[in-house]
Amino acid sequence: MKPDADSAITRDGKALILAYDHGLEHGPVDFEPVPSTTDPAEVFELATHDAVSAIAVQKGVAEAQYPSYEDDVALLAKLNGTSNLWMGEPDSAVNWSVDYAAELGADAIGFTLYGGSNNEVEMAEEFRDAQEAARRHDMGVVMWSYPRGQGLKNDTSAGTIAYAARQALELGADIAKVKYPGSKEAMEWAVQSAADTKVVMSGGSKTDDLAFLGTVESAIDAGAKGLAVGRNVFQRENPTQILDALERVIYDEESAESALEATR
Amino acid sequence: MKPDADSAITRDGKALILAYDHGLEHGPVDFEPVPSTTDPAEVFELATHDAVSAIAVQKGVAEAQYPSYEDDVALLAKLNGTSNLWMGEPDSAVNWSVDYAAELGADAIGFTLYGGSNNEVEMAEEFRDAQEAARRHDMGVVMWSYPRGQGLKNDTSAGTIAYAARQALELGADIAKVKYPGSKEAMEWAVQSAADTKVVMSGGSKTDDLAFLGTVESAIDAGAKGLAVGRNVFQRENPTQILDALERVIYDEESAESALEATR
Amino acid sequence: MKPDADSAITRDGKALILAYDHGLEHGPVDFEPVPSTTDPAEVFELATHDAVSAIAVQKGVAEAQYPSYEDDVALLAKLNGTSNLWMGEPDSAVNWSVDYAAELGADAIGFTLYGGSNNEVEMAEEFRDAQEAARRHDMGVVMWSYPRGQGLKNDTSAGTIAYAARQALELGADIAKVKYPGSKEAMEWAVQSAADTKVVMSGGSKTDDLAFLGTVESAIDAGAKGLAVGRNVFQRENPTQILDALERVIYDEESAESALEATR
Amino acid sequence: MKPDADSAITRDGKALILAYDHGLEHGPVDFEPVPSTTDPAEVFELATHDAVSAIAVQKGVAEAQYPSYEDDVALLAKLNGTSNLWMGEPDSAVNWSVDYAAELGADAIGFTLYGGSNNEVEMAEEFRDAQEAARRHDMGVVMWSYPRGQGLKNDTSAGTIAYAARQALELGADIAKVKYPGSKEAMEWAVQSAADTKVVMSGGSKTDDLAFLGTVESAIDAGAKGLAVGRNVFQRENPTQILDALERVIYDEESAESALEATR
Amino acid sequence: MKPDADSAITRDGKALILAYDHGLEHGPVDFEPVPSTTDPAEVFELATHDAVSAIAVQKGVAEAQYPSYEDDVALLAKLNGTSNLWMGEPDSAVNWSVDYAAELGADAIGFTLYGGSNNEVEMAEEFRDAQEAARRHDMGVVMWSYPRGQGLKNDTSAGTIAYAARQALELGADIAKVKYPGSKEAMEWAVQSAADTKVVMSGGSKTDDLAFLGTVESAIDAGAKGLAVGRNVFQRENPTQILDALERVIYDEESAESALEATR
């Protein structure tokens, strides 16, 4: 973790990362609720919303869209990822070199680590190379810190999420993206464990407005610095409305109810 | 996907790729229907047909033939491939470096990804290196996106082919070569999933003229930008005739029946 | 082992290394006895104690804290490490390149070798690269020499610890960090086996003051040159007091009882 | 396959390669029929015979002998090879870098590919590196194309040998060394499948003069461009005599019987 | 094998290599017969004996001792080695780069190959890199050629040792260190199989003076060029005496009995 290294993808030290790599990770089926989101241009448009501090995409999507949006959107290059067509001990291909991400104008890199996987050691070494290359390019580093695999029964327990946040700190991430561990207290432990590394909550699968915003509010209360979200935005009929509400909860620290009311 | 990166192997944004790596992938047995096609020179001659926007071959064939055809044929360097002498989880050797392909004058690279294979992660990382090297040489990138392997029962279902097309986009291919998913609707889903990445249909094993052309017509109707074909051309007694017909179906968007009639 | 290569992390040829990579190796649970130690800044403050000759941390913690402490603390860059979220034959990811450690101002590198693991060969080769890079940067080399894994029943027997110390010498470490083998005589064997490579005792899990200091005294009597300690310092309510006592036992070669009395 | 790349190891487009890597592949037991052939100098002397267009040896033998023979013998650097002390899925170590082979004055490289082995993919990628390095040094490329391993029951069937010859072409070899597939017709198929890549027959284990020469005659009749032979030369009491006869069969296309009579 | 490449570690073409890597390979237990030999300085002193043409040690021992002995002792850098703490298919870590060995002033490199191991292919490729790097530095190359592992029942049979010696030649070693195959005749076969590569006998575990010297005499009679010995020297109470005797047997080709008598 390097102070201020993430400034290009944060706003007043907070972050709302619009994640859009579901086409690779889950397949086009994730776009069925709102078929127009199959088109990356539609989601880049969304990312121009003031609430969004960065968009996270894979290389091919960035190549196609980023040249048209580089003045309006901060690019978080999601370096690794894989399909769910295969089943096995969790792993992720590094699909993008940091040098090429920098050449395309990326502001930061994103990298998944499956702590607890039999592939943890290899993934951590790939992360090392990416993190140090990002430092050479003055790019921030976000870790998707997702314990998963061999022997991990409950991957959102308080201890597991605190551990995940700590791994992000110790290995050199500026921002740790972790799942919500179920309570504000558990999130506080994760935030403390990450120390100077910022913690952002992972949005997860789509839930209703209040439940979703309430979880975000709880995370912010616990000291989290924001959210990385995909489906809970782009699978809604009115994604702008939820972004408006998220802006209030994250940056203005309004309550979920108040934010929801104000943006209805 | 990078706009216009594939211009050297397309014609008016459409593509008819003559694929000729069957000697490696299947063995000389594929040349038995028309033995003279064992000789690469014969197939390079075919590739001079106006309908053909590029020929896809392995390195050794390109070394032997391309110097004689570089003014008349666009070269798509098929970088990986393997024999069918071994059986195992799908994989493919990278037989050709991009730098050497560029030195021989290749206009684009072709690369197979077996999504869903236990080797997907490794293949995706090999693709990364190849794709970024192609960018440095201003060469287009075509992905043979073929889900195959562990746990994949039906590799031409609509969802699988749409996923395959999406992988090509997200990982950075300019053109996705996918199998025909059985219907125009399914092909439309694949085309939409690929967004700005062009989709071309894979020709597959030899079928009769009308059935074959009808499938191509359906793919074009669905928004596909063309065809990559081998056996359905070179295993015919009169390959020029089918190329004439394909030219009408692909570039002029004629119906299969009309094209067939006009070229008989 | 290269004479004087470790001078930046020793004091009069002795060493008290404050180890603080437990957040990665064991998780935040190790900070529960004294929750404020979750914050790396708190432990870096401790490291400014005169008794401490170096602090050993992972990359991310060094990035965040070392710029504020570089005039007061010597940095031992712990290059490899892994979580205990996975279970398998012992292994450790190399999380930090030596070049980057040097850039951050590290004075020496630390590296775990699990001799006896099925991964020993690979780990030894990673150590080779790290050790030689450290030589190029005039940095000292500390090996956490911890026999562990396949077939090793008792990893603190006299023979195993002497072997561990010898591995550190033969492979090129300046300091060998080994577990206490249970007796002064066994520690003497380890010290002799290491020859010119200094041996420091590993602190292990927390024990009571006298028992802990008594073991340190025994190790020093046996010729060990110090201690690498984490939990036995930062899990105490009054870590400064135990550091005061350790200073007397290690550098002044006082007895445990006398040191304890003087610092109460 | 690159036109004329093999000119330094052929004579009038034909080749008689004296192979002498049996000490590595089979052990010294292959020298027992004529013990003096244990000494590489003896076999290099043989290689000065006019019939021999190149000698194929491993690195250590070349280092010791080639400086004395570089004016009289063409050197084919056999890059990979392994002992038969281990048993397992066929594989071969790359024992020699192309750069070092070039430095020693090698005229071409030789490389074994075990098509059909579980190691085919890895071996093909090693071949890629070697083949492209050979191109940079203007050295010819010979592939020992030997389908072997998992699931291959009869590795000299017509289809397998034709496939082996085709692999050599597609992967970029100038000369394919294949086993005799049992008949002139089968050899013709192999020769056609290799197209512009020259096919040479592998000599195999020692047989009697007429049977051996008859097979060579049949291969030449089928369009093969020569022979790579070891034991059928150096295990004979009078190796010069068989070389005299081979010269007639290969370069002058005499019949086996006539050549045998003329050289008795 | 390159003529004269080993001149810095031989004397009149003969060699007595004092091997001292037992602390890594077997552990400190090998020093128990004469505990003072735990200290590398003691063994380097021994190596100044006129009979010793080189000392073979691992990197860490060389770093500590060689600067004090570089005028009196030739350094044979034993590049690979591993502990016996793990059990598995024979393998050995490369602990030392050739470049760094050269920087320390090494005169030659030593490398173990376990022919017949499932790791033979990988070890041979590591040897290739080391051997070619040694050539760039004009350093000699010694192979510890030790068939071992999967399926090798009797690793000192005449055929196995002759094969081991041959592997050393073909792969490019200047000196092959092999085990004594049980008889003078078997050793002759090994010596002939190695051709211009010198063969030295491996000393093995400690035996009585006459038995040991008798075996050396037999090896020398068979054409071996010397001995690589550790325990049979440093585990004796009077190692200088046995070195005096070895000098007579190896360099003066005296009989074991006469040499023993003269040095008593």
Side-chain angles (χ1 to χ4, degrees):
Chain A
M1 185 272 154
K2 199 174 158 187
D4 299 321
D6 59 19
S7 57
I9 57 163
T10 50
R11 163 181 156 194
D12 306 330
K14 298 267 182 70
L16 196 169
I17 296 163
L18 187 60
Y20 181 63
D21 59 345
H22 304 71
L24 177 62
E25 297 281 347
H26 305 160
V29 74
D30 269 23
F31 307 132
E32 291 199 325
V34 184
S36 63
T37 59
T38 307
D39 185 358
E42 173 116 353
V43 183
F44 267 81
E45 276 304 317
L46 263 186
T48 62
H49 191 290
D50 272 359
V52 176
S53 62
I55 189 168
V57 291
Q58 289 281 334
K59 176 169 64 178
V61 171
E63 281 184 320
Q65 299 297 333
Y66 195 59
S68 311
Y69 290 91
E70 58 191 352
D71 295 335
D72 304 310
V73 176
L75 179 61
L76 172 49
K78 182 70 198 332
L79 296 189
N80 60 353
T82 190
S83 80
N84 67 14
L85 291 167
W86 60 279
M87 309 279 159
E89 189 63 10
D91 198 1
S92 192
V94 182
N95 297 316
W96 200 344
S97 77
V98 175
D99 285 356
Y100 188 61
E103 202 179 299
L104 277 183
D107 296 285
I109 62 164
F111 203 101
T112 297
L113 181 78
Y114 293 130
S117 162
N118 283 329
N119 296 311
E120 179 185 319
V121 166
E122 184 189 351
M123 294 183 83
E125 296 187 342
E126 292 170 339
F127 175 76
R128 171 200 65 215
D129 289 341
Q131 194 261 8
E132 299 188 3
R135 292 293 178 242
R136 287 193 292 276
H137 288 289
D138 287 319
M139 292 158 78
V141 176
V142 183
M143 183 187 283
W144 274 233
S145 193
Y146 284 5
R148 189 178 295 182
Q150 177 229 46
L152 266 177
K153 301 255 166 56
N154 177 4
D155 64 358
T156 58
S157 70
T160 297
I161 299 303
Y163 205 154
R166 185 76 186 188
Q167 279 192 293
L169 163 67
E170 301 235 353
L171 299 180
D174 303 309
I175 297 180
K177 180 183 178 219
V178 299
K179 298 201 170 166
Y180 185 72
S183 73
K184 186 183 148 193
E185 290 66 36
M187 191 51 127
E188 280 172 344
W189 191 18
V191 168
Q192 286 156 12
S193 295
D196 295 316
T197 292
K198 291 184 182 74
V199 172
V200 299
M201 192 188 98
S202 178
S205 44
K206 193 189 155 197
T207 52
D208 75 62
D209 288 8
L210 192 58
F212 172 56
L213 290 170
T215 307
V216 178
E217 178 191 351
S218 160
I220 297 292
D221 281 359
K225 297 299 183 190
L227 178 73
V229 63
R231 287 165 290 173
N232 263 301
V233 168
F234 70 67
Q235 286 185 354
R236 284 175 204 274
E237 284 306 321
N238 194 340
T240 301
Q241 190 184 31
I242 199 77
L243 287 174
D244 291 342
L246 284 168
E247 187 166 22
R248 289 169 176 265
V249 176
I250 294 171
Y251 300 100
D252 305 332
E253 307 200 354
E254 278 188 26
S255 74
E257 285 197 6
S258 144
L260 200 54
E261 198 166 318
T263 56
R264 244 171 205 154
Chain B
M1 184 273 156
K2 200 175 158 186
D4 299 322
D6 58 19
S7 57
I9 56 164
T10 49
R11 163 180 156 194
D12 306 330
K14 299 266 183 71
L16 196 170
I17 296 164
L18 187 60
Y20 182 63
D21 59 345
H22 304 70
L24 177 62
E25 297 280 347
H26 305 161
V29 73
D30 269 24
F31 308 131
E32 291 199 326
V34 183
S36 62
T37 60
T38 308
D39 185 358
E42 172 117 354
V43 182
F44 267 80
E45 276 303 317
L46 262 187
T48 62
H49 190 290
D50 271 359
V52 177
S53 63
I55 189 169
V57 292
Q58 289 282 334
K59 177 169 64 178
V61 171
E63 281 184 319
Q65 299 297 333
Y66 194 59
S68 310
Y69 290 90
E70 58 191 352
D71 295 336
D72 305 309
V73 176
L75 178 61
L76 172 50
K78 182 70 196 334
L79 296 189
N80 60 354
T82 190
S83 80
N84 68 12
L85 291 167
W86 60 279
M87 309 280 159
E89 189 63 10
D91 198 1
S92 192
V94 182
N95 297 316
W96 199 346
S97 77
V98 176
D99 285 356
Y100 188 60
E103 201 179 300
L104 276 183
D107 296 285
I109 61 164
F111 202 100
T112 297
L113 180 79
Y114 293 129
S117 163
N118 283 329
N119 297 311
E120 179 186 319
V121 167
E122 184 189 351
M123 294 183 83
E125 297 188 341
E126 292 170 338
F127 176 75
R128 172 201 65 215
D129 289 342
Q131 193 260 8
E132 299 188 3
R135 292 291 178 242
R136 286 193 293 276
H137 288 289
D138 287 318
M139 292 158 78
V141 176
V142 183
M143 183 187 284
W144 274 233
S145 194
Y146 284 6
R148 188 177 296 181
Q150 176 228 48
L152 267 177
K153 302 254 165 56
N154 178 2
D155 63 359
T156 58
S157 71
T160 297
I161 299 302
Y163 205 154
R166 185 74 185 189
Q167 279 192 294
L169 163 67
E170 301 234 353
L171 299 179
D174 303 309
I175 296 179
K177 179 183 180 221
V178 299
K179 298 200 170 168
Y180 185 72
S183 72
K184 187 185 147 193
E185 290 65 36
M187 192 49 128
E188 280 173 344
W189 190 18
V191 167
Q192 286 156 11
S193 295
D196 295 316
T197 292
K198 292 183 181 76
V199 172
V200 299
M201 192 189 97
S202 178
S205 43
K206 193 189 158 198
T207 52
D208 76 62
D209 289 7
L210 190 58
F212 173 56
L213 290 170
T215 307
V216 176
E217 178 191 352
S218 160
I220 296 292
D221 280 358
K225 297 300 182 188
L227 178 72
V229 62
R231 287 165 290 173
N232 263 301
V233 168
F234 69 68
Q235 287 184 353
R236 284 174 205 277
E237 285 307 321
N238 193 339
T240 299
Q241 188 184 31
I242 197 79
L243 287 174
D244 290 342
L246 284 169
E247 187 165 22
R248 290 169 176 265
V249 175
I250 293 171
Y251 300 100
D252 305 332
E253 306 200 356
E254 279 188 25
S255 73
E257 286 196 8
S258 143
L260 200 55
E261 197 167 316
T263 56
R264 243 169 206 156
Chain C
M1 184 274 153
K2 199 174 157 187
D4 299 321
D6 59 19
S7 58
I9 57 163
T10 49
R11 165 181 155 194
D12 306 331
K14 299 267 182 72
L16 196 170
I17 296 164
L18 187 59
Y20 181 63
D21 59 345
H22 304 70
L24 176 63
E25 297 281 348
H26 306 160
V29 74
D30 269 23
F31 309 133
E32 290 199 327
V34 183
S36 63
T37 59
T38 308
D39 185 359
E42 173 116 354
V43 182
F44 266 81
E45 276 304 316
L46 262 185
T48 62
H49 190 290
D50 272 0
V52 176
S53 63
I55 189 168
V57 291
Q58 289 282 333
K59 177 170 63 176
V61 171
E63 281 184 320
Q65 300 297 333
Y66 194 59
S68 310
Y69 290 91
E70 57 191 354
D71 295 336
D72 303 310
V73 176
L75 179 61
L76 172 50
K78 182 70 199 329
L79 296 189
N80 61 352
T82 190
S83 80
N84 67 14
L85 292 167
W86 59 279
M87 310 280 159
E89 189 63 11
D91 197 1
S92 193
V94 182
N95 297 315
W96 201 344
S97 77
V98 175
D99 285 356
Y100 188 61
E103 203 180 297
L104 277 183
D107 297 286
I109 62 164
F111 203 101
T112 297
L113 181 78
Y114 293 130
S117 162
N118 283 329
N119 297 309
E120 179 185 319
V121 166
E122 184 190 351
M123 295 183 82
E125 297 186 342
E126 292 170 338
F127 175 76
R128 171 200 66 214
D129 289 341
Q131 194 261 9
E132 298 187 3
R135 292 291 178 243
R136 287 193 292 277
H137 288 289
D138 288 319
M139 292 159 77
V141 176
V142 183
M143 182 187 285
W144 273 234
S145 194
Y146 284 6
R148 189 177 295 181
Q150 176 229 47
L152 265 177
K153 302 255 167 54
N154 177 3
D155 64 359
T156 57
S157 71
T160 298
I161 300 303
Y163 204 153
R166 186 74 185 190
Q167 278 191 293
L169 162 67
E170 301 234 354
L171 299 179
D174 303 309
I175 296 180
K177 181 184 177 220
V178 299
K179 297 202 171 166
Y180 185 73
S183 72
K184 188 184 146 191
E185 289 65 36
M187 191 50 127
E188 280 173 344
W189 191 19
V191 167
Q192 286 156 11
S193 295
D196 294 317
T197 292
K198 291 184 181 76
V199 172
V200 299
M201 192 188 99
S202 178
S205 44
K206 194 189 153 195
T207 53
D208 76 60
D209 289 8
L210 191 57
F212 173 56
L213 290 170
T215 308
V216 178
E217 178 191 351
S218 160
I220 297 292
D221 280 359
K225 296 299 183 188
L227 178 72
V229 63
R231 288 166 289 173
N232 263 302
V233 167
F234 70 68
Q235 286 184 354
R236 285 175 205 274
E237 284 306 320
N238 194 339
T240 301
Q241 190 183 30
I242 198 79
L243 286 174
D244 290 343
L246 283 169
E247 188 165 20
R248 289 169 177 265
V249 175
I250 294 170
Y251 300 100
D252 305 332
E253 306 199 355
E254 278 188 24
S255 74
E257 286 197 9
S258 143
L260 199 54
E261 198 167 317
T263 57
R264 245 172 204 153
Chain D
M1 182 273 155
K2 200 174 158 185
D4 298 322
D6 59 19
S7 58
I9 56 164
T10 49
R11 164 179 156 195
D12 305 330
K14 299 264 182 73
L16 195 170
I17 296 165
L18 187 60
Y20 181 63
D21 59 346
H22 304 71
L24 177 62
E25 297 281 347
H26 305 162
V29 74
D30 268 24
F31 308 131
E32 290 199 327
V34 183
S36 62
T37 59
T38 308
D39 185 359
E42 173 118 354
V43 182
F44 267 81
E45 276 303 317
L46 263 186
T48 61
H49 190 290
D50 270 0
V52 177
S53 63
I55 188 167
V57 292
Q58 289 282 333
K59 177 170 64 178
V61 171
E63 280 184 319
Q65 299 297 332
Y66 194 60
S68 311
Y69 290 90
E70 56 191 355
D71 295 336
D72 304 309
V73 176
L75 178 61
L76 172 49
K78 182 71 197 333
L79 295 189
N80 61 354
T82 190
S83 80
N84 68 12
L85 292 166
W86 60 279
M87 309 279 158
E89 189 63 10
D91 198 0
S92 191
V94 183
N95 297 315
W96 199 343
S97 77
V98 175
D99 286 356
Y100 188 61
E103 201 179 298
L104 277 183
D107 297 285
I109 61 164
F111 203 100
T112 298
L113 180 78
Y114 293 129
S117 163
N118 283 328
N119 296 310
E120 179 185 320
V121 167
E122 184 190 350
M123 294 183 82
E125 297 187 341
E126 293 170 338
F127 176 76
R128 170 201 67 215
D129 289 341
Q131 194 260 7
E132 298 187 3
R135 292 292 179 243
R136 286 193 293 276
H137 288 289
D138 288 318
M139 291 158 78
V141 176
V142 183
M143 182 188 283
W144 273 233
S145 195
Y146 284 5
R148 186 177 298 181
Q150 176 229 49
L152 266 177
K153 301 255 167 55
N154 178 2
D155 64 359
T156 57
S157 71
T160 297
I161 299 302
Y163 205 154
R166 186 73 185 190
Q167 278 191 295
L169 162 67
E170 300 234 354
L171 300 180
D174 303 309
I175 297 179
K177 178 183 180 222
V178 299
K179 297 200 172 170
Y180 185 73
S183 72
K184 186 184 149 195
E185 290 66 35
M187 191 50 127
E188 280 173 344
W189 190 18
V191 167
Q192 286 156 12
S193 295
D196 295 316
T197 292
K198 292 183 181 75
V199 172
V200 299
M201 191 189 98
S202 178
S205 43
K206 194 188 157 196
T207 51
D208 77 62
D209 288 8
L210 190 59
F212 173 57
L213 290 170
T215 308
V216 177
E217 178 191 353
S218 159
I220 296 293
D221 280 358
K225 295 300 181 188
L227 178 73
V229 62
R231 288 165 289 174
N232 263 302
V233 167
F234 69 69
Q235 287 184 353
R236 284 174 205 276
E237 285 306 321
N238 194 340
T240 299
Q241 188 184 30
I242 197 81
L243 287 174
D244 290 343
L246 284 168
E247 188 166 19
R248 289 169 176 264
V249 176
I250 294 171
Y251 299 100
D252 305 332
E253 306 198 357
E254 280 188 23
S255 73
E257 285 195 11
S258 142
L260 199 55
E261 197 167 319
T263 57
R264 244 171 204 155
Chain E
M1 183 273 153
K2 200 174 156 187
D4 299 322
D6 59 19
S7 57
I9 56 163
T10 49
R11 165 181 154 194
D12 305 331
K14 299 266 183 72
L16 195 169
I17 296 164
L18 187 59
Y20 181 63
D21 59 346
H22 304 70
L24 177 62
E25 296 281 347
H26 305 161
V29 73
D30 269 24
F31 309 132
E32 290 198 326
V34 184
S36 63
T37 59
T38 308
D39 185 359
E42 172 117 354
V43 182
F44 267 81
E45 276 303 316
L46 262 186
T48 61
H49 190 290
D50 272 359
V52 176
S53 63
I55 188 168
V57 291
Q58 289 282 333
K59 176 170 66 176
V61 171
E63 280 183 320
Q65 300 297 333
Y66 195 59
S68 311
Y69 289 91
E70 56 191 355
D71 296 336
D72 304 309
V73 177
L75 179 60
L76 172 50
K78 182 71 197 330
L79 295 190
N80 61 353
T82 190
S83 80
N84 67 13
L85 292 167
W86 59 280
M87 309 280 158
E89 189 63 11
D91 197 1
S92 192
V94 182
N95 297 315
W96 201 345
S97 76
V98 175
D99 285 356
Y100 188 62
E103 202 179 297
L104 277 182
D107 297 285
I109 62 163
F111 203 100
T112 298
L113 180 78
Y114 293 129
S117 163
N118 283 329
N119 297 310
E120 179 185 319
V121 166
E122 184 190 350
M123 295 184 82
E125 296 187 343
E126 292 170 339
F127 175 76
R128 170 201 65 214
D129 289 341
Q131 194 260 6
E132 298 188 3
R135 292 290 179 245
R136 286 193 293 276
H137 288 290
D138 288 319
M139 292 158 77
V141 176
V142 182
M143 182 187 284
W144 273 234
S145 194
Y146 284 7
R148 187 178 297 182
Q150 176 228 48
L152 265 177
K153 301 255 168 54
N154 178 4
D155 63 359
T156 57
S157 71
T160 297
I161 299 303
Y163 204 153
R166 186 74 186 191
Q167 278 192 293
L169 162 67
E170 301 234 354
L171 299 180
D174 304 308
I175 296 180
K177 179 183 178 219
V178 299
K179 296 200 173 169
Y180 185 73
S183 72
K184 187 183 147 192
E185 289 66 35
M187 191 51 126
E188 280 172 345
W189 190 19
V191 167
Q192 286 156 12
S193 295
D196 295 317
T197 292
K198 292 183 180 76
V199 172
V200 299
M201 190 188 100
S202 179
S205 44
K206 193 188 155 196
T207 52
D208 76 61
D209 288 9
L210 191 57
F212 172 57
L213 290 170
T215 308
V216 177
E217 178 191 352
S218 158
I220 296 293
D221 279 358
K225 295 300 181 187
L227 177 72
V229 62
R231 288 167 288 174
N232 264 301
V233 168
F234 69 68
Q235 286 184 354
R236 285 175 204 273
E237 285 305 321
N238 194 339
T240 301
Q241 189 184 29
I242 198 79
L243 287 174
D244 290 343
L246 284 168
E247 189 165 20
R248 289 169 176 265
V249 175
I250 295 170
Y251 299 100
D252 305 332
E253 305 199 356
E254 280 189 22
S255 73
E257 285 196 9
S258 141
L260 199 55
E261 198 166 319
T263 56
R264 245 172 203 153

